[in-house]
Amino acid sequence: MVTASTIEAPSRDVDTLIVSDVHLGLPASRPRDLLELLEHARFERLILLGDIFHDWSFRHLCTDTWRLLAHIRGLSQRREAEIVWVHGNHDRHLGHLVARIVGVETMESYAWHYRGRSFVALHGDRFDRFISTYVRTAAFFSRAYGFAQRWLSRRGEWPRRLDRAHGGLSRLSAEVEAGARDYAAANRVDVIVCGHTHNPTRRRFDPAAPGDRAIEYVNTGCWVDRPASFVTVGTAGVALNHCP
């Protein structure tokens, strides 16, 4: 567990804080640690970049999860920060529940500008060819993963290791990275932020031709592993941060 004394909130002015793949409802999820980060950090906008919930089985949500959701709702209601909730492949069908619980509408992607640069945040599952092609099979594996985490493991350790191994063997990170780069180039975006792969990454792509722009790709990582990771955009630029 991360305590208030060990948490490392962003040290400089932050415009946008981005987290993804929290997978609330799984034993490996870290809602208490994320809550402590949000309580200590100061930001103008919070982007929840998909797969915040693992599935619709809310009976598995713990007390810390409900406290986290209440805090996020409070940030929005008190207008302390703009809250943006982007769909992921696990929680795309839960938009109506998100609106009811947190009080924000969900969307497929979010674009904004900051200090002369254009940004877009989307979950990244659209660049995953397996999920896009084999929708029912992917849904089955998602349910099986949730079952294994909750009932066949202690704290979800071996399913988490298996998931990391699958991501490496399938080259998922490279596939999402390439898709994100092409999307940013086609839409003239300077910085594209994704989740989905659970692999925190930061890449810079030089212009492909004269007149093109450089593209920065950042993946937020996840909150079902140690260290967890998140992205900030602020006066210090774009940063990939870690939470022990």
Side-chain angles (χ1 to χ4, degrees), residues 53 56 58 85-88 90-108:
F53 292 113
W56 52 266
F58 280 21
W85 194 303
V86 176
H87 296 148
H90 282 272
D91 55 12
R92 180 166 282 108
H93 58 296
L94 298 176
H96 62 293
L97 293 176
V98 171
R100 182 177 300 179
I101 295 171
V102 185
V104 298
E105 298 297 324
T106 56
M107 60 189 70
E108 282 295 326

mmCIF file with all atom_site columns, all heavy atoms in Angstrom, residues 53 56 58 85-88 90-108:
data_model
loop_
_atom_site.group_PDB
_atom_site.id
_atom_site.type_symbol
_atom_site.label_atom_id
_atom_site.label_alt_id
_atom_site.label_comp_id
_atom_site.label_asym_id
_atom_site.label_entity_id
_atom_site.label_seq_id
_atom_site.pdbx_PDB_ins_code
_atom_site.Cartn_x
_atom_site.Cartn_y
_atom_site.Cartn_z
_atom_site.occupancy
_atom_site.B_iso_or_equiv
_atom_site.pdbx_formal_charge
_atom_site.auth_seq_id
_atom_site.auth_comp_id
_atom_site.auth_asym_id
_atom_site.auth_atom_id
_atom_site.pdbx_PDB_model_num
ATOM 1   N N   . PHE A 1 53  ? -13.419 0.363   -14.875 1.00 0.00 ? 53  PHE A N   1
ATOM 2   C CA  . PHE A 1 53  ? -14.058 -0.838  -14.351 1.00 0.00 ? 53  PHE A CA  1
ATOM 3   C C   . PHE A 1 53  ? -13.597 -2.041  -15.172 1.00 0.00 ? 53  PHE A C   1
ATOM 4   O O   . PHE A 1 53  ? -13.404 -1.933  -16.386 1.00 0.00 ? 53  PHE A O   1
ATOM 5   C CB  . PHE A 1 53  ? -15.584 -0.739  -14.439 1.00 0.00 ? 53  PHE A CB  1
ATOM 6   C CG  . PHE A 1 53  ? -16.193 0.292   -13.528 1.00 0.00 ? 53  PHE A CG  1
ATOM 7   C CD1 . PHE A 1 53  ? -16.805 1.421   -14.054 1.00 0.00 ? 53  PHE A CD1 1
ATOM 8   C CD2 . PHE A 1 53  ? -16.166 0.131   -12.159 1.00 0.00 ? 53  PHE A CD2 1
ATOM 9   C CE1 . PHE A 1 53  ? -17.376 2.369   -13.224 1.00 0.00 ? 53  PHE A CE1 1
ATOM 10  C CE2 . PHE A 1 53  ? -16.733 1.081   -11.309 1.00 0.00 ? 53  PHE A CE2 1
ATOM 11  C CZ  . PHE A 1 53  ? -17.343 2.194   -11.846 1.00 0.00 ? 53  PHE A CZ  1
ATOM 12  N N   . TRP A 1 56  ? -19.120 -5.482  -15.330 1.00 0.00 ? 56  TRP A N   1
ATOM 13  C CA  . TRP A 1 56  ? -20.362 -4.977  -14.734 1.00 0.00 ? 56  TRP A CA  1
ATOM 14  C C   . TRP A 1 56  ? -20.621 -5.548  -13.339 1.00 0.00 ? 56  TRP A C   1
ATOM 15  O O   . TRP A 1 56  ? -21.594 -5.183  -12.679 1.00 0.00 ? 56  TRP A O   1
ATOM 16  C CB  . TRP A 1 56  ? -21.552 -5.349  -15.628 1.00 0.00 ? 56  TRP A CB  1
ATOM 17  C CG  . TRP A 1 56  ? -21.587 -6.823  -15.959 1.00 0.00 ? 56  TRP A CG  1
ATOM 18  C CD1 . TRP A 1 56  ? -21.072 -7.432  -17.050 1.00 0.00 ? 56  TRP A CD1 1
ATOM 19  C CD2 . TRP A 1 56  ? -22.132 -7.873  -15.153 1.00 0.00 ? 56  TRP A CD2 1
ATOM 20  N NE1 . TRP A 1 56  ? -21.254 -8.794  -16.997 1.00 0.00 ? 56  TRP A NE1 1
ATOM 21  C CE2 . TRP A 1 56  ? -21.907 -9.090  -15.847 1.00 0.00 ? 56  TRP A CE2 1
ATOM 22  C CE3 . TRP A 1 56  ? -22.806 -7.912  -13.928 1.00 0.00 ? 56  TRP A CE3 1
ATOM 23  C CZ2 . TRP A 1 56  ? -22.308 -10.330 -15.338 1.00 0.00 ? 56  TRP A CZ2 1
ATOM 24  C CZ3 . TRP A 1 56  ? -23.206 -9.142  -13.415 1.00 0.00 ? 56  TRP A CZ3 1
ATOM 25  C CH2 . TRP A 1 56  ? -22.959 -10.335 -14.122 1.00 0.00 ? 56  TRP A CH2 1
ATOM 26  N N   . PHE A 1 58  ? -20.550 -5.276  -10.088 1.00 0.00 ? 58  PHE A N   1
ATOM 27  C CA  . PHE A 1 58  ? -20.253 -4.263  -9.076  1.00 0.00 ? 58  PHE A CA  1
ATOM 28  C C   . PHE A 1 58  ? -20.246 -4.836  -7.664  1.00 0.00 ? 58  PHE A C   1
ATOM 29  O O   . PHE A 1 58  ? -19.790 -4.174  -6.733  1.00 0.00 ? 58  PHE A O   1
ATOM 30  C CB  . PHE A 1 58  ? -21.262 -3.127  -9.173  1.00 0.00 ? 58  PHE A CB  1
ATOM 31  C CG  . PHE A 1 58  ? -20.961 -2.150  -10.282 1.00 0.00 ? 58  PHE A CG  1
ATOM 32  C CD1 . PHE A 1 58  ? -20.146 -2.503  -11.357 1.00 0.00 ? 58  PHE A CD1 1
ATOM 33  C CD2 . PHE A 1 58  ? -21.484 -0.868  -10.264 1.00 0.00 ? 58  PHE A CD2 1
ATOM 34  C CE1 . PHE A 1 58  ? -19.869 -1.619  -12.372 1.00 0.00 ? 58  PHE A CE1 1
ATOM 35  C CE2 . PHE A 1 58  ? -21.208 0.042   -11.276 1.00 0.00 ? 58  PHE A CE2 1
ATOM 36  C CZ  . PHE A 1 58  ? -20.397 -0.335  -12.333 1.00 0.00 ? 58  PHE A CZ  1
ATOM 37  N N   . TRP A 1 85  ? -14.191 10.959  -18.964 1.00 0.00 ? 85  TRP A N   1
ATOM 38  C CA  . TRP A 1 85  ? -14.181 9.494   -18.888 1.00 0.00 ? 85  TRP A CA  1
ATOM 39  C C   . TRP A 1 85  ? -14.261 8.949   -20.316 1.00 0.00 ? 85  TRP A C   1
ATOM 40  O O   . TRP A 1 85  ? -15.247 9.129   -21.009 1.00 0.00 ? 85  TRP A O   1
ATOM 41  C CB  . TRP A 1 85  ? -15.359 8.995   -18.070 1.00 0.00 ? 85  TRP A CB  1
ATOM 42  C CG  . TRP A 1 85  ? -15.277 7.548   -17.654 1.00 0.00 ? 85  TRP A CG  1
ATOM 43  C CD1 . TRP A 1 85  ? -15.136 6.468   -18.467 1.00 0.00 ? 85  TRP A CD1 1
ATOM 44  C CD2 . TRP A 1 85  ? -15.335 7.028   -16.316 1.00 0.00 ? 85  TRP A CD2 1
ATOM 45  N NE1 . TRP A 1 85  ? -15.112 5.314   -17.742 1.00 0.00 ? 85  TRP A NE1 1
ATOM 46  C CE2 . TRP A 1 85  ? -15.227 5.627   -16.418 1.00 0.00 ? 85  TRP A CE2 1
ATOM 47  C CE3 . TRP A 1 85  ? -15.483 7.620   -15.057 1.00 0.00 ? 85  TRP A CE3 1
ATOM 48  C CZ2 . TRP A 1 85  ? -15.271 4.793   -15.289 1.00 0.00 ? 85  TRP A CZ2 1
ATOM 49  C CZ3 . TRP A 1 85  ? -15.516 6.797   -13.942 1.00 0.00 ? 85  TRP A CZ3 1
ATOM 50  C CH2 . TRP A 1 85  ? -15.405 5.408   -14.060 1.00 0.00 ? 85  TRP A CH2 1
ATOM 51  N N   . VAL A 1 86  ? -13.197 8.282   -20.742 1.00 0.00 ? 86  VAL A N   1
ATOM 52  C CA  . VAL A 1 86  ? -13.102 7.732   -22.090 1.00 0.00 ? 86  VAL A CA  1
ATOM 53  C C   . VAL A 1 86  ? -13.360 6.226   -22.032 1.00 0.00 ? 86  VAL A C   1
ATOM 54  O O   . VAL A 1 86  ? -12.891 5.537   -21.129 1.00 0.00 ? 86  VAL A O   1
ATOM 55  C CB  . VAL A 1 86  ? -11.713 8.014   -22.700 1.00 0.00 ? 86  VAL A CB  1
ATOM 56  C CG1 . VAL A 1 86  ? -11.567 7.355   -24.068 1.00 0.00 ? 86  VAL A CG1 1
ATOM 57  C CG2 . VAL A 1 86  ? -11.490 9.527   -22.810 1.00 0.00 ? 86  VAL A CG2 1
ATOM 58  N N   . HIS A 1 87  ? -14.113 5.716   -22.996 1.00 0.00 ? 87  HIS A N   1
ATOM 59  C CA  . HIS A 1 87  ? -14.431 4.291   -23.037 1.00 0.00 ? 87  HIS A CA  1
ATOM 60  C C   . HIS A 1 87  ? -13.176 3.432   -23.204 1.00 0.00 ? 87  HIS A C   1
ATOM 61  O O   . HIS A 1 87  ? -12.269 3.776   -23.952 1.00 0.00 ? 87  HIS A O   1
ATOM 62  C CB  . HIS A 1 87  ? -15.349 3.961   -24.223 1.00 0.00 ? 87  HIS A CB  1
ATOM 63  C CG  . HIS A 1 87  ? -16.678 4.599   -24.145 1.00 0.00 ? 87  HIS A CG  1
ATOM 64  N ND1 . HIS A 1 87  ? -17.376 4.998   -25.262 1.00 0.00 ? 87  HIS A ND1 1
ATOM 65  C CD2 . HIS A 1 87  ? -17.463 4.905   -23.088 1.00 0.00 ? 87  HIS A CD2 1
ATOM 66  C CE1 . HIS A 1 87  ? -18.530 5.527   -24.904 1.00 0.00 ? 87  HIS A CE1 1
ATOM 67  N NE2 . HIS A 1 87  ? -18.601 5.486   -23.583 1.00 0.00 ? 87  HIS A NE2 1
ATOM 68  N N   . GLY A 1 88  ? -13.169 2.275   -22.561 1.00 0.00 ? 88  GLY A N   1
ATOM 69  C CA  . GLY A 1 88  ? -12.222 1.212   -22.836 1.00 0.00 ? 88  GLY A CA  1
ATOM 70  C C   . GLY A 1 88  ? -12.983 -0.027  -23.262 1.00 0.00 ? 88  GLY A C   1
ATOM 71  O O   . GLY A 1 88  ? -14.222 -0.061  -23.204 1.00 0.00 ? 88  GLY A O   1
ATOM 72  N N   . HIS A 1 90  ? -13.250 -2.779  -21.751 1.00 0.00 ? 90  HIS A N   1
ATOM 73  C CA  . HIS A 1 90  ? -13.913 -3.442  -20.626 1.00 0.00 ? 90  HIS A CA  1
ATOM 74  C C   . HIS A 1 90  ? -15.127 -2.678  -20.113 1.00 0.00 ? 90  HIS A C   1
ATOM 75  O O   . HIS A 1 90  ? -16.051 -3.292  -19.567 1.00 0.00 ? 90  HIS A O   1
ATOM 76  C CB  . HIS A 1 90  ? -12.923 -3.642  -19.468 1.00 0.00 ? 90  HIS A CB  1
ATOM 77  C CG  . HIS A 1 90  ? -11.990 -4.780  -19.670 1.00 0.00 ? 90  HIS A CG  1
ATOM 78  N ND1 . HIS A 1 90  ? -12.283 -6.070  -19.295 1.00 0.00 ? 90  HIS A ND1 1
ATOM 79  C CD2 . HIS A 1 90  ? -10.745 -4.827  -20.216 1.00 0.00 ? 90  HIS A CD2 1
ATOM 80  C CE1 . HIS A 1 90  ? -11.269 -6.868  -19.588 1.00 0.00 ? 90  HIS A CE1 1
ATOM 81  N NE2 . HIS A 1 90  ? -10.324 -6.134  -20.164 1.00 0.00 ? 90  HIS A NE2 1
ATOM 82  N N   . ASP A 1 91  ? -15.138 -1.368  -20.236 1.00 0.00 ? 91  ASP A N   1
ATOM 83  C CA  . ASP A 1 91  ? -16.228 -0.593  -19.635 1.00 0.00 ? 91  ASP A CA  1
ATOM 84  C C   . ASP A 1 91  ? -17.026 0.227   -20.648 1.00 0.00 ? 91  ASP A C   1
ATOM 85  O O   . ASP A 1 91  ? -17.776 1.125   -20.280 1.00 0.00 ? 91  ASP A O   1
ATOM 86  C CB  . ASP A 1 91  ? -15.704 0.321   -18.520 1.00 0.00 ? 91  ASP A CB  1
ATOM 87  C CG  . ASP A 1 91  ? -14.571 1.245   -18.958 1.00 0.00 ? 91  ASP A CG  1
ATOM 88  O OD1 . ASP A 1 91  ? -14.328 1.363   -20.177 1.00 0.00 ? 91  ASP A OD1 1
ATOM 89  O OD2 . ASP A 1 91  ? -13.924 1.836   -18.078 1.00 0.00 ? 91  ASP A OD2 1
ATOM 90  N N   . ARG A 1 92  ? -16.882 -0.105  -21.940 1.00 0.00 ? 92  ARG A N   1
ATOM 91  C CA  . ARG A 1 92  ? -17.597 0.644   -22.968 1.00 0.00 ? 92  ARG A CA  1
ATOM 92  C C   . ARG A 1 92  ? -19.123 0.546   -22.778 1.00 0.00 ? 92  ARG A C   1
ATOM 93  O O   . ARG A 1 92  ? -19.852 1.492   -23.049 1.00 0.00 ? 92  ARG A O   1
ATOM 94  C CB  . ARG A 1 92  ? -17.188 0.144   -24.355 1.00 0.00 ? 92  ARG A CB  1
ATOM 95  C CG  . ARG A 1 92  ? -17.885 0.871   -25.514 1.00 0.00 ? 92  ARG A CG  1
ATOM 96  C CD  . ARG A 1 92  ? -17.228 0.590   -26.839 1.00 0.00 ? 92  ARG A CD  1
ATOM 97  N NE  . ARG A 1 92  ? -15.998 1.361   -27.008 1.00 0.00 ? 92  ARG A NE  1
ATOM 98  C CZ  . ARG A 1 92  ? -14.782 0.843   -26.957 1.00 0.00 ? 92  ARG A CZ  1
ATOM 99  N NH1 . ARG A 1 92  ? -14.616 -0.456  -26.766 1.00 0.00 ? 92  ARG A NH1 1
ATOM 100 N NH2 . ARG A 1 92  ? -13.720 1.618   -27.106 1.00 0.00 ? 92  ARG A NH2 1
ATOM 101 N N   . HIS A 1 93  ? -19.600 -0.598  -22.331 1.00 0.00 ? 93  HIS A N   1
ATOM 102 C CA  . HIS A 1 93  ? -21.038 -0.826  -22.184 1.00 0.00 ? 93  HIS A CA  1
ATOM 103 C C   . HIS A 1 93  ? -21.568 -0.324  -20.836 1.00 0.00 ? 93  HIS A C   1
ATOM 104 O O   . HIS A 1 93  ? -22.739 -0.524  -20.520 1.00 0.00 ? 93  HIS A O   1
ATOM 105 C CB  . HIS A 1 93  ? -21.344 -2.321  -22.314 1.00 0.00 ? 93  HIS A CB  1
ATOM 106 C CG  . HIS A 1 93  ? -20.626 -3.174  -21.310 1.00 0.00 ? 93  HIS A CG  1
ATOM 107 N ND1 . HIS A 1 93  ? -19.261 -3.280  -21.280 1.00 0.00 ? 93  HIS A ND1 1
ATOM 108 C CD2 . HIS A 1 93  ? -21.093 -3.935  -20.295 1.00 0.00 ? 93  HIS A CD2 1
ATOM 109 C CE1 . HIS A 1 93  ? -18.904 -4.088  -20.294 1.00 0.00 ? 93  HIS A CE1 1
ATOM 110 N NE2 . HIS A 1 93  ? -19.997 -4.493  -19.680 1.00 0.00 ? 93  HIS A NE2 1
ATOM 111 N N   . LEU A 1 94  ? -20.741 0.339   -20.042 1.00 0.00 ? 94  LEU A N   1
ATOM 112 C CA  . LEU A 1 94  ? -21.150 0.785   -18.714 1.00 0.00 ? 94  LEU A CA  1
ATOM 113 C C   . LEU A 1 94  ? -21.350 2.296   -18.647 1.00 0.00 ? 94  LEU A C   1
ATOM 114 O O   . LEU A 1 94  ? -21.425 2.858   -17.563 1.00 0.00 ? 94  LEU A O   1
ATOM 115 C CB  . LEU A 1 94  ? -20.100 0.368   -17.675 1.00 0.00 ? 94  LEU A CB  1
ATOM 116 C CG  . LEU A 1 94  ? -19.870 -1.141  -17.521 1.00 0.00 ? 94  LEU A CG  1
ATOM 117 C CD1 . LEU A 1 94  ? -18.743 -1.406  -16.545 1.00 0.00 ? 94  LEU A CD1 1
ATOM 118 C CD2 . LEU A 1 94  ? -21.142 -1.837  -17.064 1.00 0.00 ? 94  LEU A CD2 1
ATOM 119 N N   . GLY A 1 95  ? -21.462 2.940   -19.800 1.00 0.00 ? 95  GLY A N   1
ATOM 120 C CA  . GLY A 1 95  ? -21.580 4.398   -19.823 1.00 0.00 ? 95  GLY A CA  1
ATOM 121 C C   . GLY A 1 95  ? -22.740 4.921   -19.004 1.00 0.00 ? 95  GLY A C   1
ATOM 122 O O   . GLY A 1 95  ? -22.627 5.934   -18.306 1.00 0.00 ? 95  GLY A O   1
ATOM 123 N N   . HIS A 1 96  ? -23.896 4.234   -19.056 1.00 0.00 ? 96  HIS A N   1
ATOM 124 C CA  . HIS A 1 96  ? -25.068 4.709   -18.322 1.00 0.00 ? 96  HIS A CA  1
ATOM 125 C C   . HIS A 1 96  ? -24.849 4.609   -16.815 1.00 0.00 ? 96  HIS A C   1
ATOM 126 O O   . HIS A 1 96  ? -25.325 5.456   -16.045 1.00 0.00 ? 96  HIS A O   1
ATOM 127 C CB  . HIS A 1 96  ? -26.301 3.904   -18.734 1.00 0.00 ? 96  HIS A CB  1
ATOM 128 C CG  . HIS A 1 96  ? -26.211 2.450   -18.424 1.00 0.00 ? 96  HIS A CG  1
ATOM 129 N ND1 . HIS A 1 96  ? -25.323 1.605   -19.041 1.00 0.00 ? 96  HIS A ND1 1
ATOM 130 C CD2 . HIS A 1 96  ? -26.903 1.681   -17.535 1.00 0.00 ? 96  HIS A CD2 1
ATOM 131 C CE1 . HIS A 1 96  ? -25.477 0.370   -18.561 1.00 0.00 ? 96  HIS A CE1 1
ATOM 132 N NE2 . HIS A 1 96  ? -26.408 0.397   -17.651 1.00 0.00 ? 96  HIS A NE2 1
ATOM 133 N N   . LEU A 1 97  ? -24.094 3.598   -16.366 1.00 0.00 ? 97  LEU A N   1
ATOM 134 C CA  . LEU A 1 97  ? -23.808 3.462   -14.937 1.00 0.00 ? 97  LEU A CA  1
ATOM 135 C C   . LEU A 1 97  ? -22.767 4.485   -14.491 1.00 0.00 ? 97  LEU A C   1
ATOM 136 O O   . LEU A 1 97  ? -22.856 5.015   -13.379 1.00 0.00 ? 97  LEU A O   1
ATOM 137 C CB  . LEU A 1 97  ? -23.321 2.048   -14.642 1.00 0.00 ? 97  LEU A CB  1
ATOM 138 C CG  . LEU A 1 97  ? -24.362 0.939   -14.822 1.00 0.00 ? 97  LEU A CG  1
ATOM 139 C CD1 . LEU A 1 97  ? -23.735 -0.426  -14.587 1.00 0.00 ? 97  LEU A CD1 1
ATOM 140 C CD2 . LEU A 1 97  ? -25.536 1.147   -13.872 1.00 0.00 ? 97  LEU A CD2 1
ATOM 141 N N   . VAL A 1 98  ? -21.799 4.759   -15.344 1.00 0.00 ? 98  VAL A N   1
ATOM 142 C CA  . VAL A 1 98  ? -20.803 5.780   -15.023 1.00 0.00 ? 98  VAL A CA  1
ATOM 143 C C   . VAL A 1 98  ? -21.484 7.135   -14.847 1.00 0.00 ? 98  VAL A C   1
ATOM 144 O O   . VAL A 1 98  ? -21.194 7.879   -13.900 1.00 0.00 ? 98  VAL A O   1
ATOM 145 C CB  . VAL A 1 98  ? -19.735 5.854   -16.126 1.00 0.00 ? 98  VAL A CB  1
ATOM 146 C CG1 . VAL A 1 98  ? -18.824 7.055   -15.916 1.00 0.00 ? 98  VAL A CG1 1
ATOM 147 C CG2 . VAL A 1 98  ? -18.916 4.564   -16.160 1.00 0.00 ? 98  VAL A CG2 1
ATOM 148 N N   . ALA A 1 99  ? -22.409 7.449   -15.749 1.00 0.00 ? 99  ALA A N   1
ATOM 149 C CA  . ALA A 1 99  ? -23.131 8.726   -15.661 1.00 0.00 ? 99  ALA A CA  1
ATOM 150 C C   . ALA A 1 99  ? -23.913 8.821   -14.356 1.00 0.00 ? 99  ALA A C   1
ATOM 151 O O   . ALA A 1 99  ? -23.985 9.887   -13.735 1.00 0.00 ? 99  ALA A O   1
ATOM 152 C CB  . ALA A 1 99  ? -24.063 8.880   -16.859 1.00 0.00 ? 99  ALA A CB  1
ATOM 153 N N   . ARG A 1 100 ? -24.472 7.696   -13.924 1.00 0.00 ? 100 ARG A N   1
ATOM 154 C CA  . ARG A 1 100 ? -25.271 7.701   -12.702 1.00 0.00 ? 100 ARG A CA  1
ATOM 155 C C   . ARG A 1 100 ? -24.398 7.765   -11.450 1.00 0.00 ? 100 ARG A C   1
ATOM 156 O O   . ARG A 1 100 ? -24.705 8.478   -10.494 1.00 0.00 ? 100 ARG A O   1
ATOM 157 C CB  . ARG A 1 100 ? -26.147 6.439   -12.643 1.00 0.00 ? 100 ARG A CB  1
ATOM 158 C CG  . ARG A 1 100 ? -27.058 6.366   -11.418 1.00 0.00 ? 100 ARG A CG  1
ATOM 159 C CD  . ARG A 1 100 ? -27.936 5.132   -11.468 1.00 0.00 ? 100 ARG A CD  1
ATOM 160 N NE  . ARG A 1 100 ? -28.787 5.142   -12.646 1.00 0.00 ? 100 ARG A NE  1
ATOM 161 C CZ  . ARG A 1 100 ? -29.643 4.163   -12.942 1.00 0.00 ? 100 ARG A CZ  1
ATOM 162 N NH1 . ARG A 1 100 ? -29.723 3.094   -12.171 1.00 0.00 ? 100 ARG A NH1 1
ATOM 163 N NH2 . ARG A 1 100 ? -30.395 4.247   -14.021 1.00 0.00 ? 100 ARG A NH2 1
ATOM 164 N N   . ILE A 1 101 ? -23.288 7.027   -11.434 1.00 0.00 ? 101 ILE A N   1
ATOM 165 C CA  . ILE A 1 101 ? -22.452 6.941   -10.240 1.00 0.00 ? 101 ILE A CA  1
ATOM 166 C C   . ILE A 1 101 ? -21.521 8.138   -10.094 1.00 0.00 ? 101 ILE A C   1
ATOM 167 O O   . ILE A 1 101 ? -21.378 8.709   -9.011  1.00 0.00 ? 101 ILE A O   1
ATOM 168 C CB  . ILE A 1 101 ? -21.623 5.640   -10.275 1.00 0.00 ? 101 ILE A CB  1
ATOM 169 C CG1 . ILE A 1 101 ? -22.548 4.419   -10.197 1.00 0.00 ? 101 ILE A CG1 1
ATOM 170 C CG2 . ILE A 1 101 ? -20.623 5.596   -9.126  1.00 0.00 ? 101 ILE A CG2 1
ATOM 171 C CD1 . ILE A 1 101 ? -21.838 3.104   -10.446 1.00 0.00 ? 101 ILE A CD1 1
ATOM 172 N N   . VAL A 1 102 ? -20.877 8.524   -11.189 1.00 0.00 ? 102 VAL A N   1
ATOM 173 C CA  . VAL A 1 102 ? -19.867 9.572   -11.136 1.00 0.00 ? 102 VAL A CA  1
ATOM 174 C C   . VAL A 1 102 ? -20.403 10.917  -11.616 1.00 0.00 ? 102 VAL A C   1
ATOM 175 O O   . VAL A 1 102 ? -19.852 11.969  -11.289 1.00 0.00 ? 102 VAL A O   1
ATOM 176 C CB  . VAL A 1 102 ? -18.620 9.152   -11.955 1.00 0.00 ? 102 VAL A CB  1
ATOM 177 C CG1 . VAL A 1 102 ? -17.506 10.166  -11.826 1.00 0.00 ? 102 VAL A CG1 1
ATOM 178 C CG2 . VAL A 1 102 ? -18.117 7.790   -11.493 1.00 0.00 ? 102 VAL A CG2 1
ATOM 179 N N   . GLY A 1 103 ? -21.467 10.883  -12.408 1.00 0.00 ? 103 GLY A N   1
ATOM 180 C CA  . GLY A 1 103 ? -22.068 12.123  -12.868 1.00 0.00 ? 103 GLY A CA  1
ATOM 181 C C   . GLY A 1 103 ? -21.402 12.731  -14.077 1.00 0.00 ? 103 GLY A C   1
ATOM 182 O O   . GLY A 1 103 ? -21.505 13.948  -14.297 1.00 0.00 ? 103 GLY A O   1
ATOM 183 N N   . VAL A 1 104 ? -20.706 11.920  -14.880 1.00 0.00 ? 104 VAL A N   1
ATOM 184 C CA  . VAL A 1 104 ? -20.071 12.421  -16.099 1.00 0.00 ? 104 VAL A CA  1
ATOM 185 C C   . VAL A 1 104 ? -20.464 11.525  -17.272 1.00 0.00 ? 104 VAL A C   1
ATOM 186 O O   . VAL A 1 104 ? -20.722 10.334  -17.098 1.00 0.00 ? 104 VAL A O   1
ATOM 187 C CB  . VAL A 1 104 ? -18.530 12.473  -15.984 1.00 0.00 ? 104 VAL A CB  1
ATOM 188 C CG1 . VAL A 1 104 ? -18.110 13.426  -14.879 1.00 0.00 ? 104 VAL A CG1 1
ATOM 189 C CG2 . VAL A 1 104 ? -17.948 11.093  -15.750 1.00 0.00 ? 104 VAL A CG2 1
ATOM 190 N N   . GLU A 1 105 ? -20.514 12.111  -18.456 1.00 0.00 ? 105 GLU A N   1
ATOM 191 C CA  . GLU A 1 105 ? -20.802 11.350  -19.656 1.00 0.00 ? 105 GLU A CA  1
ATOM 192 C C   . GLU A 1 105 ? -19.511 10.744  -20.202 1.00 0.00 ? 105 GLU A C   1
ATOM 193 O O   . GLU A 1 105 ? -18.431 11.341  -20.087 1.00 0.00 ? 105 GLU A O   1
ATOM 194 C CB  . GLU A 1 105 ? -21.447 12.252  -20.713 1.00 0.00 ? 105 GLU A CB  1
ATOM 195 C CG  . GLU A 1 105 ? -22.789 12.842  -20.287 1.00 0.00 ? 105 GLU A CG  1
ATOM 196 C CD  . GLU A 1 105 ? -23.848 11.781  -20.043 1.00 0.00 ? 105 GLU A CD  1
ATOM 197 O OE1 . GLU A 1 105 ? -23.844 10.771  -20.775 1.00 0.00 ? 105 GLU A OE1 1
ATOM 198 O OE2 . GLU A 1 105 ? -24.681 11.968  -19.134 1.00 0.00 ? 105 GLU A OE2 1
ATOM 199 N N   . THR A 1 106 ? -19.622 9.571   -20.782 1.00 0.00 ? 106 THR A N   1
ATOM 200 C CA  . THR A 1 106 ? -18.449 8.903   -21.346 1.00 0.00 ? 106 THR A CA  1
ATOM 201 C C   . THR A 1 106 ? -18.333 9.198   -22.836 1.00 0.00 ? 106 THR A C   1
ATOM 202 O O   . THR A 1 106 ? -19.311 9.577   -23.485 1.00 0.00 ? 106 THR A O   1
ATOM 203 C CB  . THR A 1 106 ? -18.535 7.390   -21.114 1.00 0.00 ? 106 THR A CB  1
ATOM 204 O OG1 . THR A 1 106 ? -19.759 6.898   -21.668 1.00 0.00 ? 106 THR A OG1 1
ATOM 205 C CG2 . THR A 1 106 ? -18.503 7.065   -19.627 1.00 0.00 ? 106 THR A CG2 1
ATOM 206 N N   . MET A 1 107 ? -17.143 9.006   -23.383 1.00 0.00 ? 107 MET A N   1
ATOM 207 C CA  . MET A 1 107 ? -16.903 9.314   -24.794 1.00 0.00 ? 107 MET A CA  1
ATOM 208 C C   . MET A 1 107 ? -15.835 8.378   -25.336 1.00 0.00 ? 107 MET A C   1
ATOM 209 O O   . MET A 1 107 ? -15.142 7.689   -24.577 1.00 0.00 ? 107 MET A O   1
ATOM 210 C CB  . MET A 1 107 ? -16.475 10.775  -24.942 1.00 0.00 ? 107 MET A CB  1
ATOM 211 C CG  . MET A 1 107 ? -15.208 11.138  -24.187 1.00 0.00 ? 107 MET A CG  1
ATOM 212 S SD  . MET A 1 107 ? -14.864 12.931  -24.182 1.00 0.00 ? 107 MET A SD  1
ATOM 213 C CE  . MET A 1 107 ? -16.189 13.511  -23.109 1.00 0.00 ? 107 MET A CE  1
ATOM 214 N N   . GLU A 1 108 ? -15.687 8.357   -26.660 1.00 0.00 ? 108 GLU A N   1
ATOM 215 C CA  . GLU A 1 108 ? -14.713 7.469   -27.298 1.00 0.00 ? 108 GLU A CA  1
ATOM 216 C C   . GLU A 1 108 ? -13.303 8.055   -27.318 1.00 0.00 ? 108 GLU A C   1
ATOM 217 O O   . GLU A 1 108 ? -12.318 7.315   -27.295 1.00 0.00 ? 108 GLU A O   1
ATOM 218 C CB  . GLU A 1 108 ? -15.149 7.138   -28.728 1.00 0.00 ? 108 GLU A CB  1
ATOM 219 C CG  . GLU A 1 108 ? -16.247 6.102   -28.816 1.00 0.00 ? 108 GLU A CG  1
ATOM 220 C CD  . GLU A 1 108 ? -15.805 4.734   -28.298 1.00 0.00 ? 108 GLU A CD  1
ATOM 221 O OE1 . GLU A 1 108 ? -14.624 4.373   -28.460 1.00 0.00 ? 108 GLU A OE1 1
ATOM 222 O OE2 . GLU A 1 108 ? -16.644 4.041   -27.720 1.00 0.00 ? 108 GLU A OE2 1
#
